[in-house]
Amino acid sequence: MYKHLLLLFLLSTSVSLAQSDSIFCKQLVAVKQLVKNNHYQPKVINDSLSKGVFNLFLKGLDPDKDYFLKTDIDQFKSDQLQFDNYLLSDNCDFLDTYKTVLLQRINDTKTILEQLNTTVPDYSGGLTLQYSPSKFITYPKDYQGLQKMLEKLVAYKVIANLLDSNDAIEVIKSNFSTLEVNARLDVIKNQLCKIEQFTNTSGGIDRYVKDAFINAYLEYHDPHSVFFNPTEKLIYETSLSSNQLSFGITTEKNKEGQIFIAEITPGSAAFNNGNFETDDIIMSLTANGVTLNTFCISNHEIEAFSNKEDHKTVTFLVKKKNGTEQTITITKTKIKVEDNAIKGYLLGENQDLGYIKIPSFYTNDESLNGRGISSDFAKELYKLQKQHIDALLIDLRFNGGGSMQEAMELVSMFIDQGPITIIETNLKETYTIRDSKRGTFFNKPVVVLVNSYSASASEFFASAMQDYNRALIVGSTTHGKSSAQSILALDDTGNLGFCKITVEKFYRITGQSHQATGVIPDIKLPSIYDNLDSGEGYLDYALTKDTVTPQMGFRPFKTVDYTSIFSNNKQRLANNINFKDIAKNNLKLRASIFEKGEKYQLTLEVIKKTRETKSDLYFQIFPEQDDLPLIKVSNTKATQKLLDINKEDQTLNADIITQLSKDIYIAESYTILKDLLNLKN
């Protein structure tokens, strides 16, 4: 009987793996064809591609070099120039070695951690640590190297946990043996749980390795092409929308590895249900007969399960603060994505300037015209104009992009007809997109505030405003992404998944490009994030900068002599202690990221001192804001009327106004706008 059951198990496992391999083969063939037919710049499958994909694949499998050994990498190198041959021959079996070795190293890690349950690490100073930038991190040489690395990891986390619980070293020392054992067991339990959540991802190690290879192949073509399963596609598209179907629950993971409710969105299904509370522990989720137990899984798995398209109704098993368990069933409802909500504010004592922050170029499929941010922006700008603002500050800092169509709609509000951008397709055909609408929505001075994390659609908007002389661009050089992506299915049903793939490049109306170099601001302001090698140009396999020949002329706004404005700004920066400190602290931040640290011993005293030094450095680099506001920020009359009705929003609004009033970049942009107005007059 036992042998019969074992045989059935082995047969079912073989069938399951065979089906999985069949799906992977179909995916691989479809991805290759999709790239060949649609990618802006498909690359030849040759030894160069093989080497690049090999390196990206290993990085994707073990990004922090936590599992593989140096001996494993040496073994894998026989494939370094073979991946192209596998791809050309539609060989789908070459990943078996990587799956086997990765699983073995995960099991080795578990074994070593479990051994540390009964082995006390060396806390006398025999173990040392050293901060090393990622480029200096190496794989453990062998199994003994992995053991030593994990011993150091556990020892550091144990001491850190003890210091978190009690800052008095003498108290810890006097009870060290007892405290150390309990802390070590907790640390090891959490480390094992992290490994479990790594292997418990949907599809397990098999799917993880296969997805890593597909993504490596796509990433070799450019950093923005990526593979999505159906749920990942839904999550991505939702992030670009102003509305979403949601339960209204935000979850996080605590130190014990439990998933808890961190936030409940007002007006959402969870909020209206009334039985959910913040800090409730989520034990499991059930939908359509499938139950997801939350022990030792990542928060991403919770998000993926709850966002599945067919999981519109989910039953939550939650553990309340008093220890009782409760089963609650709720159905998703449409809610506004708070991160994509925008609001206009008035700046200055006289409330004469307007301010609007655009967090992303989101869409709204439910609106009659399909417009999202451009429609919301127009409404807020209308409220500001009703109060007769003299100029406008548009804040695009940390705006990673979104819908190019929305960005084009926004540009058209500020120019009176004319070309907006030049597009080049994968067939190397160029065409010009123009604004055909007569008139402008706003014709007064504009400043656009950007930083190094302003990317894609936000860069497109800033560059168009700059080329038309329609706005002064202020801040830091932007990210440098000048390409557009489309999400394409790998098959007619979408069952094989999807690829977000780069299909076009867009150019400025001058024919120039900011690809890999970014939009250079007219007025540069020091930033804590300067020179952190985070731009597009630092990404492996990023598309290069080039130019195209414009096919259509454009009429920029009248050129203005900004010499006095530049001079005034330069003088203010030279005398502004806050901006001086930002420049100094940027050097400290860069050094802390890119330079190796001093070696230090893993002892209670040394780690306490090291942590204090790091904490002091952090507060030097990111000092707390002064209590005094730098500029007055006010609501529009229309917004204030809504706040008088919706009391729940008043606290959040007050916090936003406080933050804006202390923002040194908004204060300086306000002064630049004032200088612009004086120049006009």
Side-chain angles (χ1 to χ4, degrees):
M1 178 66 178
Y2 172 76
K3 289 183 179 178
H4 178 65
L5 289 174
L6 180 61
L7 181 61
L8 281 177
F9 171 75
L10 291 173
L11 285 173
S12 65
T13 302
S14 300
V15 171
S16 175
L17 288 174
Q19 289 174 338
S20 175
D21 287 342
S22 173
I23 292 172
F24 176 62
C25 284
K26 291 178 181 177
Q27 288 174 323
L28 209 52
V29 170
V31 167
K32 285 191 301 177
Q33 197 62 41
L34 196 70
V35 168
K36 181 180 178 181
N37 294 341
N38 298 281
H39 194 278
Y40 170 78
Q41 192 172 293
K43 295 178 180 177
V44 178
I45 299 178
N46 55 18
D47 282 350
S48 179
L49 177 141
S50 182
K51 189 174 181 179
V53 173
F54 175 82
N55 292 329
L56 290 169
F57 177 50
L58 291 185
K59 185 178 178 181
L61 284 181
D62 190 6
D64 298 318
K65 299 179 180 175
D66 290 329
Y67 298 106
F68 288 136
L69 307 179
K70 176 68 167 57
T71 51
D72 299 329
I73 304 304
D74 292 339
Q75 175 190 348
F76 295 151
K77 281 185 178 176
S78 61
D79 271 344
Q80 199 168 27
L81 298 179
Q82 293 300 316
F83 278 178
D84 56 328
N85 299 324
Y86 300 148
L87 287 165
L88 289 170
S89 62
D90 292 334
N91 180 346
C92 307
D93 302 324
F94 62 95
L95 295 182
D96 290 345
T97 301
Y98 299 90
K99 287 186 288 185
T100 301
V101 174
L102 180 58
L103 192 56
Q104 178 61 53
R105 295 303 166 230
I106 288 171
N107 288 331
D108 288 344
T109 301
K110 288 181 182 178
T111 300
I112 295 168
L113 286 170
E114 286 163 353
Q115 289 170 349
L116 285 167
N117 270 324
T118 55
T119 306
V120 180
D122 180 1
Y123 298 107
S124 67
L127 299 176
T128 60
L129 280 181
Q130 179 185 28
Y131 168 75
S132 296
S134 57
K135 67 178 180 179
F136 294 116
I137 296 174
T138 58
Y139 294 100
K141 184 178 179 181
D142 48 27
Y143 186 85
Q144 287 71 32
L146 182 62
Q147 283 180 309
K148 186 60 69 176
M149 182 182 79
L150 290 170
E151 184 184 3
K152 289 182 179 183
L153 173 70
V154 170
Y156 177 82
K157 285 185 173 292
V158 166
I159 294 178
N161 284 8
L162 292 177
L163 290 170
D164 287 341
S165 302
N166 193 329
D167 202 37
I169 281 188
E170 294 307 318
V171 174
I172 297 173
K173 278 184 173 180
S174 61
N175 300 280
F176 187 77
S177 296
T178 304
L179 294 172
E180 189 276 339
V181 170
N182 293 331
R184 178 158 41 90
L185 293 177
D186 285 343
V187 165
I188 292 170
K189 177 185 173 183
N190 284 334
Q191 289 302 121
L192 288 169
C193 196
K194 284 183 180 179
I195 296 172
E196 289 298 325
Q197 76 178 36
F198 174 58
T199 56
N200 286 344
T201 54
S202 180
I205 291 295
D206 180 70
R207 190 66 255 171
Y208 174 79
V209 172
K210 289 169 180 174
D211 285 359
F213 182 80
I214 293 174
N215 276 311
Y217 178 75
L218 291 168
E219 189 180 346
Y220 178 75
H221 287 83
D222 80 285
H224 305 290
S225 293
V226 65
F227 172 74
F228 286 150
N229 63 39
T231 302
E232 288 168 337
K233 170 181 175 282
L234 181 63
I235 292 172
Y236 175 77
E237 290 176 333
T238 298
S239 71
L240 300 179
S241 174
S242 60
N243 293 286
Q244 68 178 48
L245 266 176
S246 172
F247 299 114
I249 292 174
T250 302
T251 58
E252 292 180 10
K253 197 161 191 158
N254 62 23
K255 287 186 176 181
E256 287 71 44
Q258 299 167 313
I259 302 292
F260 69 96
I261 297 176
E263 185 180 343
I264 299 171
T265 305
S268 66
F271 181 87
N272 293 331
N273 179 275
N275 291 308
F276 290 97
E277 297 175 289
T278 54
D279 295 326
D280 281 353
I281 304 296
I282 298 178
M283 310 295 288
S284 69
L285 300 89
T286 301
N288 298 336
V290 178
T291 297
L292 177 70
N293 293 309
T294 63
F295 181 68
C296 286
I297 65 170
S298 67
N299 204 29
H300 174 75
E301 284 296 300
I302 300 291
E303 185 182 38
F305 187 89
S306 59
N307 274 283
K308 280 190 175 179
E309 200 158 11
D310 58 340
H311 289 182
K312 290 183 171 62
T313 297
V314 169
T315 297
F316 291 76
L317 175 61
V318 300
K319 187 175 183 179
K320 312 298 284 186
K321 294 176 187 176
N322 61 10
T324 61
E325 294 184 357
Q326 187 174 354
T327 300
I328 311 167
T329 301
I330 55 172
T331 300
K332 293 175 184 175
T333 56
K334 281 277 185 183
I335 62 172
K336 183 84 172 177
V337 179
E338 287 299 322
D339 288 345
N340 286 343
I342 70 168
K343 194 174 292 181
Y345 294 92
L346 297 162
L347 302 179
E349 293 294 333
N350 298 325
Q351 300 184 346
D352 51 351
L353 271 63
Y355 169 87
I356 301 177
K357 180 176 178 61
I358 302 176
S360 69
F361 285 89
Y362 56 82
T363 59
N364 183 1
D365 294 334
E366 292 195 336
S367 67
L368 293 176
N369 54 16
R371 289 171 57 184
I373 177 61
S374 55
S375 177
D376 292 346
F377 182 93
K379 292 171 187 174
E380 292 303 311
L381 184 54
Y382 176 74
K383 295 175 189 176
L384 291 168
Q385 287 183 291
K386 288 274 285 184
Q387 295 199 226
H388 310 293
I389 58 169
D390 296 322
L392 178 66
L393 171 58
I394 301 174
D395 191 343
L396 295 180
R397 290 175 296 171
F398 301 102
N399 182 324
S403 166
M404 286 292 294
Q405 184 59 43
E406 291 290 334
M408 293 176 194
E409 292 285 351
L410 206 61
V411 172
S412 71
M413 295 184 194
F414 295 93
I415 67 168
D416 183 9
Q417 294 187 318
I420 296 178
T421 186
I422 303 168
I423 302 291
E424 184 175 68
T425 70
N426 62 325
L427 300 176
K428 299 301 175 279
E429 298 172 343
T430 60
Y431 60 95
T432 302
I433 294 179
R434 63 192 302 272
D435 169 34
S436 59
K437 301 170 188 172
R438 293 194 62 85
T440 60
F441 197 78
F442 186 79
N443 55 16
K444 296 177 180 179
V446 176
V447 159
V448 177
L449 185 57
V450 296
N451 68 2
S452 56
Y453 296 96
S454 304
S456 196
S458 59
E459 294 178 278
F460 161 77
F461 174 77
S463 64
M465 296 288 277
Q466 190 176 53
D467 288 338
Y468 269 98
N469 294 332
R470 186 59 192 89
L472 269 180
I473 311 302
V474 174
S476 307
T477 301
T478 60
H479 179 78
K481 179 178 179 290
S482 185
S483 60
Q485 289 71 40
S486 290
I487 297 179
L488 304 173
L490 292 179
D491 65 335
D492 293 337
T493 64
N495 291 333
L496 292 181
F498 303 82
C499 283
K500 177 168 73 77
I501 192 168
T502 298
V503 294
E504 296 172 333
K505 279 178 75 174
F506 58 90
Y507 295 79
R508 301 172 74 139
I509 48 178
T510 59
Q512 299 297 311
S513 170
H514 59 259
Q515 171 63 28
T517 58
V519 177
I520 314 282
D522 301 301
I523 296 178
K524 183 171 175 55
L525 301 180
S527 169
I528 196 67
Y529 303 107
D530 285 341
N531 307 311
L532 296 187
D533 300 355
S534 58
E536 181 90 358
Y538 293 98
L539 298 177
D540 291 335
Y541 308 109
L543 299 178
T544 56
K545 178 178 180 176
D546 58 357
T547 61
V548 294
T549 302
Q551 302 296 316
M552 186 181 297
F554 72 102
R555 290 179 296 176
F557 284 69
K558 183 180 178 182
T559 302
V560 179
D561 183 0
Y562 294 124
T563 303
S564 62
I565 291 177
F566 297 156
S567 177
N568 290 344
N569 165 258
K570 188 175 181 180
Q571 188 173 353
R572 284 193 301 271
L573 293 185
N575 296 324
N576 190 307
I577 190 170
N578 291 321
F579 276 121
K580 286 182 179 179
D581 286 343
I582 286 172
K584 291 177 185 176
N585 292 335
N586 168 253
L587 296 177
K588 295 177 184 177
L589 179 61
R590 181 173 171 79
S592 72
I593 294 173
F594 295 107
E595 295 178 11
K596 280 189 175 184
E598 296 286 336
K599 278 190 178 182
Y600 60 92
Q601 294 177 318
L602 273 166
T603 65
L604 197 59
E605 292 86 355
V606 172
I607 290 180
K608 178 177 170 60
K609 184 177 179 181
T610 301
R611 279 159 55 100
E612 288 172 347
T613 301
K614 285 183 178 178
S615 178
D616 290 343
L617 178 62
Y618 176 85
F619 285 112
Q620 287 176 33
I621 296 173
F622 301 100
E624 292 185 3
Q625 289 181 314
D626 294 331
D627 291 334
L628 294 175
L630 300 171
I631 186 172
K632 184 177 179 181
V633 181
S634 314
N635 292 313
T636 60
K637 290 178 181 177
T639 296
Q640 193 58 53
K641 283 182 181 179
L642 292 174
L643 288 170
D644 291 340
I645 299 170
N646 301 309
K647 303 291 184 183
E648 296 168 354
D649 295 336
Q650 289 180 2
T651 302
L652 176 61
N653 179 75
D655 289 342
I656 293 173
I657 284 180
T658 299
Q659 291 172 15
L660 296 179
S661 69
K662 296 179 181 180
D663 192 316
I664 189 173
Y665 296 95
I666 293 176
E668 176 58 24
S669 298
Y670 172 84
T671 307
I672 291 170
L673 276 170
K674 280 293 193 181
D675 285 349
L676 264 174
L677 289 170
N678 291 333
L679 194 65
K680 295 278 183 181
N681 294 333

